[in-house]
Amino acid sequence: MAASDQKAIMHPPTGYELGTSNYERYTDSVFESHYNIVKKIFTKYGFPGYRLVGKDGAKSFWLIVQHCDKWPKFQEKVLRKMRHEVLNNNASGENYAFLVDRVRKNKGEKQVFGTQVSFDITKSQAHVKDLEDPEHVNQRRTSVGLESLESYLNRMSINHYNMNKKVYQKKGIKGPTLYQVN
């Protein structure tokens, strides 16, 4: 399921162009199918941590929940259970941070860790909107095992540029705009 989730987002089948309603219907069908399965898993086991499904299994479960944006109450329930597993060294603090921000963003609240990005397509640069206490974001990121915000944004900018290289090159943009890393 995690592989098909990522394929839907990054490598959709021929005929499904990013940003089209056809593509959105395709990803929605993948996400809904996965939601129905992970909901059953969650009902039976709670957040399936390392001791139950291993690190890859826990990461796959989290990844699928990340994309359950149409079911925010479910994401919140998972987040509460996942926090308990993180505190018991049975789930990833990094993944938890991503889900915290995803849930907060879906609720219209400010992000804590700056994991959910948008892109300035005029210069191929990732940025974070609505960040709580930006002066201390790197301290919070470090506390859960994440790289600095600047390094993360640079990585996201490079990935986004590479995924959309032809479009950017047509616009005369030869590479992403990167942040200075201290």
Side-chain angles (χ1 to χ4, degrees):
M1 285 182 359
S4 66
D5 176 277
Q6 290 301 281
K7 183 178 180 185
I9 292 172
M10 299 211 264
H11 305 288
T14 304
Y16 294 91
E17 298 270 335
L18 292 173
T20 64
S21 59
N22 193 26
Y23 171 75
E24 189 173 321
R25 280 191 302 276
Y26 166 70
T27 57
D28 283 352
S29 71
V30 170
F31 297 157
E32 184 169 1
S33 171
H34 291 166
Y35 162 70
N36 289 322
I37 295 167
V38 295
K39 186 170 79 170
K40 289 176 185 171
I41 294 168
F42 183 74
T43 298
K44 186 170 183 176
Y45 300 103
F47 184 86
Y50 301 153
R51 290 185 281 283
L52 182 64
V53 296
K55 286 189 177 187
D56 288 342
K59 182 178 181 178
S60 293
F61 184 88
W62 157 81
L63 178 67
I64 292 162
V65 171
Q66 269 290 98
H67 297 137
C68 287
D69 294 318
K70 292 194 175 199
W71 305 276
K73 289 185 191 292
F74 175 69
Q75 286 179 319
E76 285 186 78
K77 286 180 186 178
V78 172
L79 184 62
R80 284 191 296 274
K81 293 282 187 181
M82 187 178 184
R83 181 177 189 278
H84 175 73
E85 298 304 327
V86 168
L87 293 173
N88 287 304
N89 297 314
N90 196 33
S92 166
E94 294 173 10
N95 294 345
Y96 175 77
F98 274 84
L99 190 55
V100 165
D101 282 350
R102 190 74 167 232
V103 166
R104 289 179 70 114
K105 184 178 177 194
N106 287 341
K107 291 169 60 176
E109 298 174 357
K110 292 184 176 187
Q111 294 186 56
V112 176
F113 300 97
T115 62
Q116 305 301 300
V117 301
S118 298
F119 294 92
D120 181 340
I121 59 171
T122 65
K123 56 185 179 178
S124 184
Q125 185 178 47
H127 59 92
V128 176
K129 290 183 181 176
D130 300 322
L131 182 61
E132 184 176 286
D133 187 21
E135 297 81 28
H136 299 102
V137 67
N138 281 331
Q139 289 172 281
R140 292 190 302 275
R141 290 178 65 87
T142 299
S143 75
V144 294
L146 293 171
E147 65 193 309
S148 74
L149 182 60
E150 296 79 11
S151 295
Y152 174 67
L153 293 174
N154 286 345
R155 189 164 46 85
M156 294 297 100
S157 297
I158 291 166
N159 290 347
H160 187 263
Y161 178 84
N162 289 334
M163 285 174 55
N164 300 284
K165 196 172 196 170
K166 289 179 184 175
V167 173
Y168 280 121
Q169 287 178 339
K170 282 182 185 176
K171 293 180 178 184
I173 299 171
K174 298 186 186 316
T177 302
L178 302 178
Y179 295 88
Q180 183 177 349
V181 178
N182 296 331

